[in-house]
């Protein structure tokens, strides 16, 4: 899965082909929730906007640890799950 992400990254203005809402929680949904809290669609858009190659993640869980918003303030996230079941359906999953 990692190689897919980096492949996507090379195409600078990747636009999602479609979007659906998450139905069940997963690690991917958790990270999407974190990107969307900070004002981005997902990791692809974050890396494009911020011009970074890496996102800081918790080594234990792989969840996103901190993100820089568009106004340059930082969001810090917990090592453990933050996206509650009631919020899972709000998470947008983009397909490229």
């Amino acid at each position: 899965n990692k190689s897919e992400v980096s492949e996507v990254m090379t195409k600078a203005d990747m636009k999602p082909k479609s979007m659906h809402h998450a139905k069940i929680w997963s690690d991917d949904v958790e990270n999407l929730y974190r990107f969307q809290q900070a004002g981005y669609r997902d990791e692809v858009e974050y890396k494009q906007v911020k011009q970074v190659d890496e996102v800081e993640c918790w080594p234990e869980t792989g969840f996103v640890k901190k993100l820089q918003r568009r106004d340059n303030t930082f969001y810090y996230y917990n090592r453990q799950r933050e996206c509650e079941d009631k919020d899972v359906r709000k998470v947008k999953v983009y397909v490229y």
Side-chain angles (χ1 to χ4, degrees), residues 30-48:
E30 177 66 39
N31 277 338
L32 283 168
Y33 174 77
R34 296 174 185 218
F35 283 110
Q36 288 166 22
Q37 290 261 294
Y40 302 92
R41 275 195 313 259
D42 53 21
E43 185 175 351
V44 174
E45 186 183 48
Y46 181 77
K47 288 178 171 177
Q48 284 169 10

Side-chain angles (χ1 to χ4, degrees), residues 16-78:
K17 290 199 275 287
S18 65
M19 185 276 285
H20 59 272
H21 286 268
K23 291 183 177 55
I24 53 165
W25 184 87
S26 70
D27 290 2
D28 288 339
V29 168
E30 177 66 39
N31 277 338
L32 283 168
Y33 174 77
R34 296 174 185 218
F35 283 110
Q36 288 166 22
Q37 290 261 294
Y40 302 92
R41 275 195 313 259
D42 53 21
E43 185 175 351
V44 174
E45 186 183 48
Y46 181 77
K47 288 178 171 177
Q48 284 169 10
V49 172
K50 288 296 168 194
Q51 299 289 295
V52 293
D53 296 326
E54 287 303 311
V55 174
E56 217 176 304
C57 294
W58 289 102
E60 307 89 336
T61 56
F63 296 150
V64 172
K65 186 175 187 175
K66 80 173 191 197
L67 293 172
Q68 194 173 15
R69 289 168 43 119
R70 290 170 197 266
D71 63 6
N72 295 329
T73 54
F74 281 95
Y75 262 35
Y76 294 90
Y77 298 97
N78 290 325

